[in-house]
Amino acid sequence: MVVPTFDLLGGYKIPVVGLGTWQCNNEKELEDALNAALENGYRHIDTAYLYQNEHIIGRVLKEWFTSGKLKREDVFITTKLPMEGIHPDRVEPFLKKSLENLQLDYLDLYLIHFPVGITQRKNPSDSLHTIPTDHIAIWKKFEQQVDAGRARSIGISNFNIKQVDRIVKNARVKPASLQIENHVFLQQAELVKFAQDQGIVVVAYSPLGSPAYGNYVATLGITAKPTPSILNHPKVNEIAKKHGKTAAHVALRFQIQRKIAVIPKSVTANRVQANINLFDFTLDDQDMKALRQLDIGEACRVCDFKFAKVSSDHPEWPFPQ
Ligand code: NDP
């Protein structure tokens, strides 16, 4: 299967489906998922320094490159500058560390993970504090990484309209991509339109609504707010049945037809295999309209970053609450 791509500002192309890898820290599980993904045609992998799994991805990619099954230019690798790296002096060292972990010479896309910087921890037990965060100074360092050939494209994640606009207005190298939480229940139409009008490719994280998010934050002693299940929603399932597909297919295809790329995470081989089978059906206007009507908005933001234990009164906190 050859996955279609969206054009990025700067001339590169991003496959419209990628494999998400957050909460994938079991080495064997992630290796198996990556192998299943690459065997089934995935050519886009999303990771982050924060996920602490870049080294596993690097090892698997190295095997594929060394065996000659894939060439470096066949795959699109995204990783992200962590919040503790959001300081002009720390951009390049963190990017170089990610390259080393991934065993790569360049990244396809490097993102600012979140618009709020925090103190750099020396030990995992150190408490975290937010720090003044100058996006323009950070962005200039990102542009230098493009100049140096360490990142082909650069972008932002979890930025709101005002923050995207400020970067665009001050950038020499425009952001190629904006990665945000986006799914049937949190469609963020205004932010998506704003970014797409600037030529920025939107990538939807948690495109299935991150059904295991509550379990993850519970391990950190946090209770996630209850949000409805996209995959069990009657309308999503009705549309899926009509096309002989699954609710997950409908949720992902909906985004692709909105010209939004998707990075569903799975470590279950048959789901990895299934989640990329999105190109043998088309949602019609009636389906798209019905799905658009399922938007609930902010109340359905799953990934509210409370797990990062930083305070939402920082001036660059991106979300309304
Ligand atoms: P997703 O919406 O991709 O949901 C992943 C969950 O859905 C997993 O529990 C997975 O289970 C399950 N799942 C996957 N496919 C299916 C299927 N076909 N049927 C039923 N269940 C399924 O959530 P994520 O929050 O992981 O988001 C995706 C990716 O986006 C992340 O992995 C990460 O790469 C990125 N991300 C980026 C963020 C940012 O701040 N920039 C924040 C959050 C995510 P299982 O694995 O057991 O199969």
Side-chain angles (χ1 to χ4, degrees):
M1 145 143 17
V2 178
V3 173
T5 53
F6 290 138
D7 291 333
L8 294 169
L9 293 173
Y12 293 100
K13 291 177 185 296
I14 183 169
V16 306
V17 188
L19 183 73
T21 65
W22 184 34
Q23 301 172 56
C24 298
N25 299 99
N26 177 304
E27 302 221 354
K28 174 82 173 70
E29 201 174 63
L30 178 54
E31 277 172 20
D32 289 350
L34 288 163
N35 284 321
L38 294 169
E39 273 152 22
N40 283 283
Y42 286 76
R43 294 293 179 263
H44 168 182
I45 295 163
D46 182 82
T47 183
Y49 183 88
L50 184 77
Y51 305 165
Q52 298 179 6
N53 59 17
E54 291 173 322
H55 62 292
I56 307 173
I57 296 168
R59 205 166 52 228
V60 172
L61 287 174
K62 179 91 174 175
E63 283 162 16
W64 278 71
F65 297 153
T66 317
S67 69
K69 283 197 281 185
L70 275 183
K71 294 197 284 296
R72 169 67 187 93
E73 57 270 30
D74 296 333
V75 282
F76 188 100
I77 308 298
T78 302
T79 193
K80 313 181 190 94
L81 177 73
M83 292 167 80
E84 59 186 303
I86 299 179
H87 181 284
D89 294 345
R90 299 185 206 144
V91 171
E92 192 169 310
F94 268 100
L95 185 150
K96 285 182 168 169
K97 182 73 191 144
S98 286
L99 283 176
E100 188 186 320
N101 291 341
L102 288 160
Q103 303 189 49
L104 299 176
D105 298 332
Y106 70 89
L107 300 169
D108 293 281
L109 180 60
Y110 197 48
L111 302 176
I112 304 179
H113 201 146
F114 195 78
V116 175
I118 57 174
T119 43
Q120 192 168 12
R121 277 177 293 193
K122 292 200 173 56
N123 301 301
S125 57
D126 290 351
S127 58
L128 301 175
H129 304 283
T130 56
I131 54 172
T133 309
D134 178 351
H135 291 168
I136 303 307
I138 306 290
W139 194 253
K140 287 193 189 319
K141 294 289 176 183
F142 265 57
E143 291 171 330
Q144 287 171 14
Q145 305 313 307
V146 176
D147 297 340
R150 286 187 278 266
R152 285 190 161 180
S153 301
I154 48 177
I156 47 198
S157 180
N158 294 299
F159 277 45
N160 61 28
I161 291 184
K162 196 170 147 209
Q163 292 167 332
V164 176
D165 190 38
R166 185 152 175 260
I167 297 271
V168 169
K169 289 205 169 107
N170 289 280
R172 175 170 59 80
V173 179
K174 304 274 182 228
S177 181
L178 169 68
Q179 189 179 118
I180 48 171
E181 178 174 339
N182 212 280
H183 44 74
V184 173
F185 294 150
L186 178 66
Q187 298 181 21
Q188 306 208 68
E190 204 189 339
L191 175 57
V192 169
K193 182 174 184 320
F194 182 82
Q196 291 180 339
D197 283 351
Q198 319 281 331
I200 299 171
V201 171
V202 176
V203 174
Y205 77 65
S206 306
L208 304 173
S210 206
Y213 179 82
N215 301 341
Y216 165 69
V217 292
T219 65
L220 305 172
I222 298 169
T223 307
K225 69 179 176 210
T227 47
S229 162
I230 296 172
L231 300 180
N232 293 334
H233 192 280
K235 190 71 197 173
V236 179
N237 280 281
E238 183 192 310
I239 296 171
K241 198 168 168 202
K242 173 173 142 187
H243 293 281
K245 301 294 285 185
T246 65
H249 287 137
V250 170
L252 299 173
R253 180 79 202 182
F254 173 61
Q255 299 291 20
I256 292 171
Q257 289 187 213
R258 297 173 72 209
K259 303 207 177 337
I260 297 175
V262 287
I263 45 171
K265 173 260 173 184
S266 179
V267 290
T268 311
N270 66 333
R271 289 176 176 169
V272 171
Q273 195 172 353
N275 287 346
I276 199 169
N277 285 326
L278 301 170
F279 307 104
D280 57 357
F281 77 114
T282 303
L283 298 170
D284 61 31
D285 291 349
Q286 206 185 341
D287 302 329
M288 290 298 287
K289 187 172 172 206
L291 291 165
R292 274 195 204 97
Q293 285 171 348
L294 296 183
D295 188 16
I296 295 167
E298 276 306 315
C300 271
R301 183 181 294 283
V302 177
C303 192
D304 57 12
F305 273 78
K306 290 205 177 120
F307 60 84
K309 298 201 172 112
V310 289
S311 105
S312 57
D313 56 16
H314 188 281
E316 296 292 0
W317 188 258
F319 308 138
Q321 53 206 352

